[in-house]
C-alpha cells in the first residue's frame, strides 16, 4: 500500500453502488446476482467474497490508494467500530429506481443503501458520543456513488420485464434517474456527507453480454445503449456543477468511467490488453451469452482481458479505472477533482 506512515488521507470511505463494487452484501440475499463462488475471487487474497471479479474491484484499488490497510467492510458484515472507517453498502443488481433488477431477486436499491447509511450514522454518533464529533468525522469521509448501470441493463433496455422503455425517451428517463439520485444525495448531505465522488456509468453497450445479443460482428458496441448512457452521464456532470455552486460547505466531483473505459478499449496495447470484447469467464458468443458459472474454468491470461465475465471488468481493468479515478491521467478523467484532491480538500 502507498502510505508507509500508516494514516489514510481520508479517515473513512463510504461506498454506494451495484455489482461493480459489491463486496459481499448480496451473499445473504435470495438472488441470482451473487458471486460468492469459485472462480470469482480466483486472484483475490481472500478468495470468493461476493466480488463480481477475479480480483480487486475499483473501490478496492481506491481504498488502497487512500492509504487504508484493509478493505472497507461490507455493511452486512460490519460490527462495532468498523463503521468509523466507512462501510460498503453496494448491492449487485441495484439501481436508482426501486424496481430495477427485481427479475434477478432481492437487492438493496440506492434508497435502501442510503437508509442503511442513515442507520450507520446513528451508530457513529453513539460510538463517538456526541453529534458535533460525529459531524466533524463524517465531513472528512469520502462518499463514492456508482449507480445507474442496472437502470439501463436491467430495466430500460429490458422490455420483457419493464415498461420504462416505452414510457420514457432516453432523455426523460435520464431526468427521472437524476431526480431520484438527487433526493438520495440530499439525504446523505443531511446526514453529514460533505465529499461526494459520483461515478459515471460505463459503456454498457460494449459489455460482452450486449455484444453477444446485439452486435453483428461481435465487436461493434450497441450505440443505442451507449448513447443513453452518455445522456445520463452529461446530466450527472451538470448535477455536480449545480451542487458545487449551491452547497458551499460540500464538494462534489464526477468520475468519467465511460471515458477511461473507452481509452482502454481504443488503446488496449497501452495497458497490456489483447481482448476487449469477450469475457475471460462465460459461455457462448463473446463468452457473454451466459455469465461465469460456478466452478467454470476461466481463461488463464486474465490480465489480457478487459472483461472478467459477461458484464464486469477484470482486476487489470479495475486497477486502471480505480487508479485514474484516484489520480487523473487525463483532464477528462475527473471533474472538477480526482478522488485524491477531494480527500485533501
Amino acid at each position: 500500500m502507498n502510505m508507509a506512515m500508516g494514516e489514510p488521507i481520508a479517515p473513512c470511505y463510504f461506498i454506494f453502488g451495484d455489482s461493480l463494487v459489491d463486496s459481499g452484501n448480496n451473499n445473504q440475499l435470495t438472488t441470482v446476482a451473487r458471486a460468492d463462488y469459485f472462480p470469482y475471487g480466483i486472484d483475490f487474497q481472500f478468495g470468493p467474497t461476493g466480488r463480481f471479479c477475479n480480483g480487486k474491484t475499483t473501490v478496492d484499488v481506491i481504498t488502497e490508494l487512500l492509504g487504508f490497510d484493509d478493505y472497507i467492510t461490507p455493511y452486512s458484515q460490519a460490527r462495532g467500530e468498523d463503521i468509523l472507517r466507512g462501510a460498503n453498502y453496494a448491492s449487485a443488481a441495484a439501481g436508482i429506481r426501486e424496481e430495477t433488477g427485481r427479475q434477478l431477486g432481492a437487492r438493496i436499491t440506492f434508497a435502501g443503501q442510503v437508509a442503511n447509511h442513515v442507520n450507520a450514522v446513528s451508530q457513529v454518533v453513539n460510538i463517538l458520543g456526541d453529534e458535533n464529533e460525529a459531524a466533524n468525522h463524517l465531513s472528512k469521509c469520502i462518499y463514492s456513488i456508482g449507480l445507474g448501470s442496472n437502470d439501463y441493463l436491467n430495466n430500460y433496455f429490458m422490455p420483457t420485464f419493464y415498461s420504462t422503455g416505452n414510457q420514457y425517451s432516453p432523455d426523460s428517463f435520464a431526468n427521472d434517474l437524476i431526480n431520484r439520485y438527487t433526493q438520495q444525495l440530499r439525504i446523505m448531505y443531511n446526514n453529514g456527507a460533505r465529499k461526494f465522488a459520483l461515478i459515471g456509468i460505463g459503456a454498457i453497450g460494449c459489455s460482452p453480454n450486449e455484444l453477444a445479443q446485439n452486435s453483428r460482428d461481435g465487436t461493434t458496441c450497441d450505440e443505442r445503449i451507449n448513447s443513453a448512457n452518455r445522456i445520463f452521464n452529461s446530466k450527472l456532470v451538470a448535477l455536480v456543477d449545480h451542487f458545487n455552486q449551491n452547497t458551499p460547505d460540500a464538494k462534489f466531483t464526477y468520475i468519467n468511467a465511460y471515458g477511461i473505459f473507452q481509452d482502454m478499449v481504443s488503446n488496449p496495447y497501452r495497458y497490456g490488453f489483447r481482448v476487449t470484447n469477450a469475457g475471460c469467464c462465460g459461455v457462448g458468443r463473446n463468452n457473454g451469452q451466459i455469465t461465469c458459472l460456478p466452478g467454470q474454468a476461466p481463461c488463464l491470461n486474465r490480465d489480457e482481458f478487459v472483461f472478467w465475465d459477461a458484464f464486469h471488468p477484470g482486476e487489470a481493468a479495475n486497477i486502471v479505472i480505480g487508479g485514474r479515478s484516484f489520480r487523473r491521467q487525463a483532464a477528462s478523467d475527473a471533474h472538477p477533482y480526482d478522488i485524491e484532491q477531494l480527500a485533501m480538500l
Side-chain angles (χ1 to χ4, degrees):
M1 310 250 171
N2 71 328
M3 306 290 284
M5 295 309 290
E7 285 305 298
I9 60 171
C12 29
Y13 183 18
F14 291 99
I15 298 151
F16 302 78
D18 52 29
S19 61
L20 292 169
V21 297
D22 186 347
S23 59
N25 289 314
N26 275 29
N27 298 355
Q28 278 79 14
L29 304 180
T30 307
T31 171
V32 295
R34 280 172 60 164
D36 52 342
Y37 56 82
F38 193 80
Y40 286 91
I42 188 170
D43 300 314
F44 194 61
Q45 64 185 105
F46 304 110
T49 53
R51 286 168 169 79
F52 285 72
C53 189
N54 58 307
K56 297 171 198 172
T57 64
T58 53
V59 297
D60 291 330
V61 174
I62 292 165
T63 301
E64 289 182 10
L65 292 169
L66 284 167
F68 288 95
D69 48 12
D70 287 304
Y71 297 120
I72 302 300
T73 316
Y75 181 69
S76 58
Q77 296 163 28
R79 299 291 174 267
E81 300 204 345
D82 284 350
I83 208 77
L84 292 179
R85 53 197 293 282
N88 184 338
Y89 305 102
S91 172
I96 297 162
R97 287 177 64 103
E98 285 297 302
E99 80 276 10
T100 288
R102 73 174 168 219
Q103 87 283 2
L104 297 168
R107 68 250 166 261
I108 308 158
T109 64
F110 189 17
Q113 294 179 33
V114 172
N116 282 341
H117 179 63
V118 171
N119 202 6
V121 167
S122 63
Q123 292 170 250
V124 170
V125 175
N126 284 341
I127 294 166
L128 296 179
D130 122 52
E131 296 221 339
N132 290 333
E133 284 278 323
N136 182 44
H137 179 75
L138 293 166
S139 71
K140 297 172 183 159
C141 308
I142 300 288
Y143 299 78
S144 71
I145 302 109
L147 287 120
S149 299
N150 287 312
D151 296 289
Y152 290 95
L153 196 61
N154 288 303
N155 191 331
Y156 191 72
F157 289 109
M158 192 170 275
T160 330
F161 290 99
Y162 301 94
S163 55
T164 47
N166 298 320
Q167 290 170 328
Y168 293 92
S169 69
D171 193 71
S172 58
F173 187 64
N175 283 337
D176 176 78
L177 295 180
I178 293 292
N179 288 339
R180 293 165 190 262
Y181 201 114
T182 304
Q183 284 178 303
Q184 299 309 318
L185 295 178
R186 290 221 159 91
I187 297 170
M188 291 169 63
Y189 176 84
N190 291 338
N191 282 273
R194 292 297 180 269
K195 295 183 176 192
F196 298 81
L198 311 189
I199 321 285
I201 56 181
I204 298 163
C206 299
S207 68
N209 181 260
E210 291 303 332
L211 294 174
Q213 292 178 56
N214 302 319
S215 176
R216 279 201 191 139
D217 59 5
T219 55
T220 306
C221 300
D222 188 330
E223 181 49 33
R224 195 179 50 120
I225 298 180
N226 283 356
S227 157
N229 297 159
R230 290 194 300 271
I231 292 169
F232 174 82
N233 285 339
S234 66
K235 292 179 192 291
L236 204 53
V237 174
L239 181 63
V240 161
D241 290 339
H242 173 81
F243 270 117
N244 279 333
Q245 282 149 17
N246 293 288
T247 45
D249 65 333
K251 297 286 181 266
F252 289 77
T253 196
Y254 167 77
I255 303 296
N256 182 14
Y258 190 107
I260 299 169
F261 173 82
Q262 289 298 88
D263 186 32
M264 287 191 295
V265 169
S266 311
N267 306 293
Y269 296 110
R270 187 181 298 167
Y271 300 98
F273 296 119
R274 299 169 69 92
V275 184
T276 61
N277 65 331
C280 162
C281 186
V283 181
R285 199 172 175 221
N286 298 72
N287 284 350
Q289 282 171 291
I290 300 171
T291 199
C292 190
L293 296 169
Q296 187 182 349
C299 71
L300 296 175
N301 53 334
R302 293 186 276 279
D303 287 350
E304 296 183 345
F305 280 68
V306 171
F307 283 94
W308 156 249
D309 65 10
F311 301 100
H312 307 98
E315 178 180 84
N318 287 338
I319 288 170
V320 175
I321 299 165
R324 288 175 65 168
S325 304
F326 182 76
R327 186 177 295 150
R328 70 178 105 202
Q329 276 177 20
S332 59
D333 287 355
H335 167 85
Y337 316 109
D338 59 28
I339 290 174
E340 184 177 34
Q341 291 170 318
L342 185 66
M344 301 294 213
L345 287 168

